[in-house]
Amino acid sequence: MEALYADPVLNVLLPGLRERSRLALVEQDLADLGAQTEGTALPAPAFAPAAGAPATNMATALGWLYTVEGSNIGAAFLLKAAAGLGLDAGFGARHLAPHADGRAAHWRDFIAQLDEVRLSAAEESRVDAGAQAAFAAALAYAQQYLPVADE
C-alpha cells in the first residue's frame, strides 16, 4: 500500500494522501513489540512499481485506498481490544490511534476528496472491484496468520 500513498498522481487527486500512510506507525509498533522484521520474507508489495510494468490503474488504487482508509474507523474497536494486551496509542498500537482531527472528520475529508474525482461508470466499477480486492486480501492475511477455530 505504501506505493499508493507515495504515488504522485494519487497525491494530486487526493491532496495529503502521503501523510495518511500509517506504515511508520506500524514499524514503530513492531519495534515496541520486539518483532524481528529484518530478513523476514514478505510478499512483494501489490503496488510496488516494477521495471517495464504499466502504471497502477488509478480507479483500482482508489478502491484499495477506500478500504484501507475506511479500516481506520473500525480501528477504534481494535484499539480498545489492544488495551487488554497492555497496548495503546503510545506503545504497540500507534497505527490504531485516531487522527488528531478525529476518526470521523478524517474519514469525511477523505471521502470528500474521493467524491471530487471524476470517474466514468467503468472506472467506478474498478473502484468497487479494488475495494473488494483489498478487503479480500486483508481477510486472506488474517486467515493466514490468525488461528481459526474449527466449527
Side-chain angles (χ1 to χ4, degrees):
M1 289 301 303
E2 191 62 18
L4 296 184
Y5 283 97
D7 185 279
V9 174
L10 287 170
N11 273 274
V12 169
L13 292 174
L14 307 168
L17 179 63
R18 184 173 282 114
E19 290 76 28
R20 288 179 172 273
S21 171
R22 293 185 169 247
L23 179 61
L25 298 172
V26 170
E27 290 172 339
Q28 286 179 311
D29 290 341
L30 289 170
D32 288 347
L33 302 174
Q36 298 293 324
T37 56
E38 230 174 272
T40 302
L42 296 174
F47 297 102
T56 300
N57 177 284
M58 288 301 125
T60 301
L62 291 172
W64 276 75
L65 288 166
Y66 176 86
T67 298
V68 171
E69 287 299 310
S71 73
N72 292 328
I73 297 292
F77 299 104
L78 296 176
L79 186 59
K80 285 182 184 180
L85 301 172
L87 308 175
D88 59 35
F91 179 85
R94 288 175 185 85
H95 74 287
L96 299 174
H99 187 271
D101 296 338
R103 290 184 200 280
H106 198 62
W107 173 244
R108 281 192 303 269
D109 290 345
F110 176 77
I111 291 301
Q113 288 179 337
L114 189 59
D115 286 345
E116 291 294 317
V117 177
R118 300 273 185 218
L119 299 169
S120 68
E123 289 168 326
E124 294 241 1
S125 291
R126 285 196 295 275
V127 171
D128 291 344
Q132 291 173 18
F135 187 82
L139 181 60
Y141 282 127
Q143 290 173 334
Q144 179 180 354
Y145 293 106
L146 300 175
V148 177
D150 292 331
E151 293 183 34

